[in-house]
Amino acid sequence: MKTSKPVLVAVALASLGLLAYALYLQHGQDMLPCPLCIIQRYAFALVAIICLAFAFLPRNAVKFGAFLGALSALGGAGVAGWHLWVKAHPTVSCGIDPLETSLNRIPTAELLPFMFKADGLCSTEYAPILGLSIPQWSLAWFILFLLVLLWAALRQQNR
């Protein structure tokens, strides 16, 4: 593999797959997303958009895109970590006040409410998926994306 382009495409496709699974959980299993879930969706979408956009640019831009994607994954990991902290401390608000209102007024939430509208509570406990909660899965995927994209950004080119 002479470039990191396939890595960016793979991360973008995985991120889009996770967004599709989130929609299945929301609409097929009636798991309403909370504000922190929606912010994580934005982070997955940002990772996918950055990776797809930079995958089709010249080699030097691909490395920069991998780095930007890694930064987006780091931000998503931070939100997922905060979500886990909020779930571990139920007395802490997850943002069902000004955060929910402001998130639901973003143009993407108004244009695509089925994807980006926050309706749920962070304290709602859903059945684990393969032993992990949804924020735990999100954190694991964000960390995986972060590591893979950093590797793609920092690795030496074969000539």
Side-chain angles (χ1 to χ4, degrees):
M1 182 167 35
K2 291 193 180 240
T3 69
S4 298
K5 290 182 181 193
V7 172
L8 273 90
V9 171
V11 168
L13 292 176
S15 190
L16 291 172
L18 290 168
L19 287 170
Y21 189 67
L23 287 175
Y24 163 73
L25 291 176
Q26 178 182 350
H27 299 289
Q29 299 296 315
D30 295 322
M31 294 181 171
L32 297 177
C34 71
L36 295 176
C37 295
I38 296 299
I39 294 171
Q40 290 169 69
R41 286 184 186 186
Y42 278 117
F44 279 122
L46 186 60
V47 168
I49 290 168
I50 288 171
C51 288
L52 280 179
F54 280 88
F56 299 103
L57 295 177
R59 186 181 311 179
N60 291 338
V62 170
K63 287 183 162 288
F64 181 68
F67 182 72
L68 283 179
L71 284 178
S72 300
L74 180 62
V79 174
W82 175 251
H83 195 171
L84 288 170
W85 193 87
V86 167
K87 287 184 86 57
H89 300 86
T91 58
V92 176
S93 170
C94 72
I96 303 295
D97 33 56
L99 180 59
E100 180 178 350
T101 303
S102 60
L103 273 175
N104 289 339
R105 291 201 177 142
I106 294 174
T108 52
E110 291 178 352
L111 290 172
L112 303 168
F114 66 92
M115 178 73 161
F116 294 117
K117 185 175 182 206
D119 289 328
L121 301 171
C122 293
S123 59
T124 304
E125 286 296 329
Y126 292 112
I129 301 167
L130 298 175
L132 297 178
S133 68
I134 294 170
Q136 289 171 327
W137 277 112
S138 290
L139 181 60
W141 278 103
F142 281 125
I143 290 171
L144 177 66
F145 291 163
L146 173 66
L147 294 174
V148 168
L149 290 169
L150 280 178
W151 172 81
L154 300 175
R155 73 187 198 98
Q156 298 296 321
Q157 290 293 340
N158 296 332
R159 294 210 179 225

